[in-house]
Amino acid sequence: MSEPSDQSDDQFDDIVDTETQRDPDLAVIEAGSRTLRTQGGAPQGDPVPSRPEDPELDKALREVETELSTRWGETKLEPSVTRIAALMDVLGEPQRAYPSIHITGTNGKTSTARMIEALLGAFELRTGRYTSPHVQAITERISLDGAPISAERFIETYQDIKPYVEMVDAREEYRLSFFEVLTGMAYAAFADAPVDAAVVEVGMGGTWDATNVIDGSVAVVTPIDLDHTDRLGGTTAEIAAEKSGIIKQGATVVLAQQPVDAAQVLLKKAVEADATVAREGMEFGVVSREIAVGGQLLTLRGLGGEYDNVFLPLHGAYQAHNAVVALAAVEAFFGIGAEHARTLDIDTVRRAFAQVASPGRLEIVRSSPTVILDAAHNPHGARATAEGVSEAFGFSRLIGVVSTSGDKDAKGLLEAFEPIFAEVVITANSNPRATDVDALAAVAVEVFGEDRVVVEPRLPDAIEAAITLAEEEAEYGGAGVLVTGSIFTVGDARLLLRRA
């Protein structure tokens, strides 16, 4: 592999200077345009599984889901890893049977995990991926070789560990939670496969998250912002302190761009753990990006050198940032930047990124008018989504359909979308924690004004109303609908629109 040119080094030095001085939340650096387009596309078929067609199998899966639902939900926490550690002990420590890449942060975790998984798979490693929450089906959370495990395997894995779960339940003050049992299932499934590498996304925080019984040789921290402030802290520094708990002794830490106070906390933790640090904008970064048909064309600077003409079939500057973080994480996993001064095979990298899919992240599910789904659920994510929509789609009129969860900053989210929405349809998703429609509508009126707010309590009616509004006044058909506010809103809409 040829070494990067002096010109490339000078270009990246300029990026370092710019990145060091700029606000971490600003858009990616634009470093010129390119005309070359690589060929590639998303994987064939829907990456999100549907319910089993076999009635008996579907019934068995629902029975497992019902049993899991009797446990503490993901919003009820007792912050410790005591119970999951006890489960790992009786299962024979399955999480230590393979190396792991551990991912925390506020936004971008799942997309980054999918990209890491795609890269590792392209280099012929057998992968396991554990992410949350799911868009449509619970089996999405545990993937093997880039695909969600089958309903049969999900059920078998649950039945295999169930006696051990009950054993731990009997010993501990509190039963294992829904998320803890799923985490145990994922680690057991990965060991049983067996996988060559696990890609694991935290559920919340880091230090006391159930996933944090692994020793990730690579710890990835995607952008940190305010979210779950009641549990993680009221500042990005406090949140970073919780998330820094995934940094293990001697690991390599891959840091996306961070607020200054968060970066200081993360770097301090890395020093204490004698960890190697790779920072976006310093050791690696996005050199250039250009809008392309169906996505964007990137030149990325990794830990070992430059990767040009990388097609990513996802929209938004934030996805380019996720891509370079994923690339650096995989380079670190293979020892590049520390033991080896070289790049990964460029053709393999290109092939991997060209096949990445991220359901529910600026995902187009219908045309005429275009309907897009995006799981933005906090102001930071909403700002990134609004920027991505404006950049990738030239809508003359965009209608929002919004339902949020009750514990989220709904006003901040709506304020982020206000500049791009002509009108907003307020609704509710199927999750019991969805914000009350009337309460959310009151916030929307405060942000948008009464004339720009429509209320439809049922999501199917809300989507229909938004499509009608988009079509009514759109010029030359340049209308769109964005369904957003929660992963649950996106999941419900995806089921409705994929069936249509």
Side-chain angles (χ1 to χ4, degrees):
M1 189 63 61
S2 61
E3 292 296 321
S5 66
D6 292 339
Q7 182 180 0
S8 295
D9 289 337
D10 291 342
Q11 188 178 33
F12 194 68
D13 288 341
D14 291 340
I15 290 177
V16 171
D17 292 339
T18 306
E19 293 269 358
T20 303
Q21 297 170 24
R22 77 176 187 159
D23 185 318
D25 289 334
L26 293 180
V28 70
I29 300 154
E30 295 290 353
S33 63
R34 298 178 183 268
T35 57
L36 179 63
R37 295 290 190 273
T38 53
Q39 299 301 312
Q44 297 298 312
D46 190 346
V48 176
S50 56
R51 299 293 311 185
E53 293 184 4
D54 179 355
E56 289 302 314
L57 181 59
D58 186 57
K59 179 183 177 183
L61 180 59
R62 289 186 186 280
E63 288 173 354
V64 171
E65 291 172 312
T66 299
E67 288 189 27
L68 288 170
S69 71
T70 65
R71 298 180 175 273
W72 279 1
E74 289 170 284
T75 59
K76 186 172 183 180
L77 303 168
E78 193 279 317
S80 77
V81 294
T82 302
R83 291 173 302 283
I84 188 67
L87 180 60
M88 293 296 100
D89 181 54
V90 296
L91 288 175
E93 304 291 346
Q95 82 282 14
R96 307 204 190 283
Y98 38 80
S100 301
I101 297 177
H102 205 179
I103 308 169
T104 191
T106 301
N107 291 306
K109 297 187 295 294
T110 299
S111 293
T112 302
R114 286 179 173 274
M115 294 178 194
I116 291 172
E117 173 189 51
L119 285 164
L120 293 173
F123 284 99
E124 299 184 352
L125 294 187
R126 186 161 205 208
T127 57
R129 173 173 54 83
Y130 181 51
T131 52
S132 61
H134 55 273
V135 178
Q136 286 179 204
I138 195 170
T139 53
E140 292 168 43
R141 295 180 180 229
I142 304 172
S143 288
L144 293 172
D145 296 323
I149 63 173
S150 65
E152 294 94 335
R153 192 160 193 169
F154 186 91
I155 295 164
E156 288 169 4
T157 302
Y158 175 74
Q159 296 298 342
D160 284 346
I161 75 165
K162 182 178 177 181
Y164 302 97
V165 168
E166 292 172 344
M167 188 185 306
V168 173
D169 284 344
R171 294 178 183 174
E172 299 295 326
E173 182 178 2
Y174 304 107
R175 296 170 71 214
L176 287 152
S177 69
F178 169 87
F179 187 72
E180 287 169 332
V181 175
L182 279 177
T183 302
M185 289 173 61
Y187 290 162
F190 296 163
D192 186 59
V195 302
D196 299 312
V199 184
V200 178
E201 173 190 339
V202 303
M204 186 186 300
T207 301
W208 42 257
D209 186 73
T211 63
N212 202 30
V213 288
I214 57 172
D215 293 320
S217 59
V218 178
V220 178
V221 186
T222 65
I224 289 174
D225 207 270
L226 298 179
D227 199 11
H228 300 296
T229 53
D230 56 329
R231 296 179 177 89
L232 303 180
T235 67
T236 49
E238 291 173 342
I239 293 171
E242 284 297 332
K243 293 182 183 295
S244 70
I246 73 164
I247 299 173
K248 301 304 195 303
Q249 194 71 25
T252 298
V253 184
V254 177
L255 298 180
Q257 293 172 343
Q258 304 292 346
V260 173
D261 62 346
Q264 290 171 338
V265 171
L266 293 166
L267 291 171
K268 182 174 183 289
K269 174 67 175 182
V271 170
E272 292 171 353
D274 195 26
T276 302
V277 177
R279 299 155 293 178
E280 184 182 4
M282 298 296 286
E283 286 76 25
F284 65 95
V286 177
V287 175
S288 69
R289 56 184 292 272
E290 182 187 359
I291 306 305
V293 176
Q296 52 193 309
L297 193 68
L298 309 175
T299 297
L300 306 176
R301 175 74 178 220
L303 304 178
E306 191 166 296
Y307 302 78
D308 63 358
N309 302 320
V310 175
F311 177 71
L312 181 68
L314 302 175
H315 301 288
Y318 66 96
Q319 294 289 19
H321 284 289
N322 291 339
V324 81
V325 169
L327 175 64
V330 172
E331 286 183 310
F333 184 82
F334 286 127
I336 292 173
E339 301 169 25
H340 309 292
R342 58 178 174 81
T343 60
L344 298 171
D345 179 74
I346 183 64
D347 290 331
T348 305
V349 169
R350 288 171 179 156
R351 184 171 67 253
F353 276 121
Q355 296 296 317
V356 168
S358 193
R361 276 74 179 178
L362 286 181
E363 181 185 18
I364 301 171
V365 291
R366 172 186 161 149
S367 58
S368 300
T370 301
V371 178
I372 303 168
L373 308 181
D374 192 90
H377 58 275
N378 56 46
H380 182 270
R383 289 192 295 271
T385 296
E387 180 187 323
V389 169
S390 299
E391 176 185 77
F393 306 93
F395 293 126
S396 59
R397 180 174 173 79
L398 180 63
I399 308 299
V401 176
V402 177
S403 173
T404 62
S405 293
D407 59 344
K408 300 298 181 182
D409 180 4
K411 185 177 181 181
L413 181 139
L414 289 168
E415 287 174 339
F417 284 124
E418 189 277 333
I420 69 167
F421 286 166
E423 295 180 67
V424 62
V425 182
I426 299 301
T427 189
N429 60 54
S430 62
N431 189 274
R433 294 190 296 110
T435 308
D436 175 76
V437 173
D438 291 336
L440 185 58
V443 176
V445 168
E446 184 180 343
V447 174
F448 286 84
E450 190 171 353
D451 292 344
R452 295 168 62 197
V453 177
V454 176
V455 179
E456 288 287 355
R458 296 180 64 253
L459 183 60
D461 296 337
I463 294 172
E464 183 177 350
I467 289 172
T468 300
L469 287 168
E471 291 175 332
E472 277 178 357
E473 300 178 32
E475 300 174 6
Y476 310 110
V481 173
L482 175 62
V483 183
T484 189
S486 165
I487 190 72
F488 303 105
T489 307
V490 165
D492 291 348
R494 207 173 187 278
L495 282 169
L496 288 167
L497 294 164
R498 286 278 176 174
R499 284 200 297 256

